[in-house]
Amino acid sequence: MEALLVRKLGDPTLPPNASENSSLDLSTSHPIPNLESPTSVRVRIKATSLNFANYLQVLGKYQEKPPLPFIPGSDYSGVVEAVGPNVTKFKIGDLVCSFVALGSFAQFIVADESDLFQVPDGCDLVAAGALPVAYGTSHVALVHRAQLRPKQVLLVLGAAGGVGLSAVQIGKVCGATVIAVARGNEKVQFLKSLGVDHAVDLSSANVIESVKGFLKSRKLKGVDVLYDPVGGKLTKDSLKLLNWGAQILVIGFASGEVPVIPANIALVKNWTIHGLYWGSYKIHQPNVLGDSLKELLAWLSKGLITVNISHTFSLTEAHLAFTALKDRRAIGKVMITFDGGKIVKSKL
């Protein structure tokens, strides 16, 4: 089978197998994984999502450092190709999605049936493959941790990225007043098309002045929930917009700079700071992830949320996918698809 392997840590934007400097190795004869237990399911992958964590992992800058070589990739969707003798939930031909720590940048993957989710009728399979990590992160953060309520003010930083767009949409489903922060007119216009209440273009506006002006126009006191996958100076500026009793969701540090949140101000203003490492729920509270993804799939099937696929690449073009992510060209998700990935769930 085709599989993308990381032979050494380094820049994933270099073409695979191009030179001794390439960190990526595209194999066309990697062994197809065998069923590992009576409840194992082998899935032929149709789409797998590229997340910022995958980029950091290949660079060797992620908090978890797997031994070399490894196949990167986390969330995916596909078609059940083989099942173990004790599998009861799925049959060959079923469309499923899931997530793993490693291994989805390949044509086949094996998972236990308890880790797979049925893709509802009518859902686009590529969209389902983009759902677990980005939308799962935002759902757990906003619904489970912050318990976002109607009419609360949600400020989303990095709002045009994969997790940012998911936070914007989930915020709207929850009935919040959503303020989206991004850079560039194209991204801001797209955010407005999603119905955000206010959008800030960092290329032409100051986030503090812009948000304060909006809050004043709506007679609102401040931001109740800050969703922050960016870090750096933008976080520091955003803290000046928070209400008493606000909640801060620390999602990541795309800026490359880990911000400092003054504990004395958090004390005086009664802020709650949530660190959210979505993947660790798989170990500590897997039921939270399962319930979250089931609700997201239901929302997707009902049209309450949509997944914007910004770029789609083949596995041979994986370096271009990493480049699109690195250069922040994407509005939404960057995907790697097999066989075109153009399958829509239909009733069997």
Side-chain angles (χ1 to χ4, degrees):
M1 69 172 184
E2 276 192 346
L4 191 73
L5 286 87
V6 178
R7 297 290 186 187
K8 67 176 185 178
L9 301 179
D11 184 0
T13 65
L14 297 176
N17 311 56
S19 69
E20 61 181 17
N21 294 322
S22 299
S23 60
L24 304 179
D25 178 16
L26 181 64
S27 172
T28 57
S29 58
H30 197 76
I32 295 175
N34 296 316
L35 299 180
E36 299 168 348
S37 75
T39 55
S40 287
V41 176
R42 184 163 62 230
V43 177
R44 178 185 287 272
I45 294 177
K46 290 297 178 182
T48 180
S49 171
L50 186 60
N51 299 289
F52 194 67
N54 306 131
Y55 173 68
L56 293 177
Q57 207 163 44
V58 180
L59 285 174
K61 295 182 178 180
Y62 196 58
Q63 54 258 38
E64 294 179 354
K65 296 177 173 59
L68 296 168
F70 64 88
I71 299 174
S74 43
D75 41 358
Y76 65 90
S77 60
V79 182
V80 172
E81 195 258 353
V83 297
N86 293 350
V87 171
T88 59
K89 296 180 180 178
F90 303 100
K91 64 183 182 300
I92 293 173
D94 281 350
L95 304 189
V96 296
C97 67
S98 189
F99 54 91
V100 287
L102 295 168
S104 68
F105 286 12
Q107 282 183 296
F108 294 93
I109 196 166
V110 169
D112 190 82
E113 68 170 339
S114 62
D115 292 327
L116 293 172
F117 298 84
Q118 190 96 34
V119 176
D121 291 339
C123 282
D124 179 76
L125 195 57
V126 177
L131 203 68
V133 173
Y135 282 76
T137 295
S138 295
H139 186 274
V140 171
L142 295 172
V143 177
H144 178 69
R145 296 289 291 276
Q147 298 181 17
L148 185 66
R149 302 188 305 274
K151 297 184 179 180
Q152 284 191 313
V153 179
L154 168 65
L155 176 61
V156 180
L157 308 184
V163 291
L165 276 185
S166 67
V168 164
Q169 293 192 57
I170 291 170
K172 296 302 292 183
V173 172
C174 292
T177 297
V178 178
I179 303 172
V181 181
R183 186 178 298 277
N185 182 64
E186 183 183 4
K187 293 178 178 180
V188 166
Q189 292 305 315
F190 183 79
L191 289 164
K192 288 180 178 179
S193 75
L194 294 179
V196 298
D197 297 274
H198 183 64
V200 182
D201 183 352
L202 291 176
S203 65
S204 59
N206 176 278
V207 66
I208 298 174
E209 294 176 358
S210 180
V211 173
K212 280 187 174 180
F214 168 76
L215 293 171
K216 184 178 180 181
S217 71
R218 291 285 188 95
K219 298 181 180 179
L220 297 167
K221 293 181 179 179
V223 170
D224 300 301
V225 178
L226 171 62
Y227 183 95
D228 182 13
V230 177
K233 182 179 183 299
L234 189 56
T235 301
K236 182 178 179 181
D237 289 343
S238 299
L239 296 179
K240 299 175 183 178
L241 300 165
L242 301 188
N243 252 336
W244 182 95
Q247 300 188 72
I248 302 169
L249 294 162
V250 181
I251 305 300
F253 316 106
S255 69
E257 182 182 344
V258 178
V260 175
I261 302 174
N264 60 326
I265 298 178
L267 182 152
V268 171
K269 293 197 173 184
N270 280 271
W271 289 342
T272 300
I273 303 167
H274 302 273
L276 194 132
Y277 177 26
W278 180 83
S280 64
Y281 274 85
K282 177 68 174 175
I283 299 170
H284 300 287
Q285 293 183 349
N287 60 305
V288 172
L289 292 191
D291 292 344
S292 171
L293 189 49
K294 288 175 184 175
E295 182 163 53
L296 285 168
L297 285 166
W299 286 358
L300 184 65
S301 67
K302 295 174 184 177
L304 294 176
I305 57 174
T306 59
V307 179
N308 190 64
I309 308 298
S310 180
H311 295 74
T312 301
F313 299 95
S314 67
L315 195 63
T316 58
E317 300 170 319
H319 62 294
L320 300 177
F322 279 108
T323 300
L325 193 73
K326 176 186 176 183
D327 293 346
R328 292 175 169 78
R329 297 202 307 265
I331 300 177
K333 294 299 296 178
V334 176
M335 304 295 294
I336 291 174
T337 62
F338 297 86
D339 304 325
K342 296 178 181 178
I343 291 182
V344 176
K345 172 72 170 166
S346 59
K347 293 182 179 180
L348 300 176

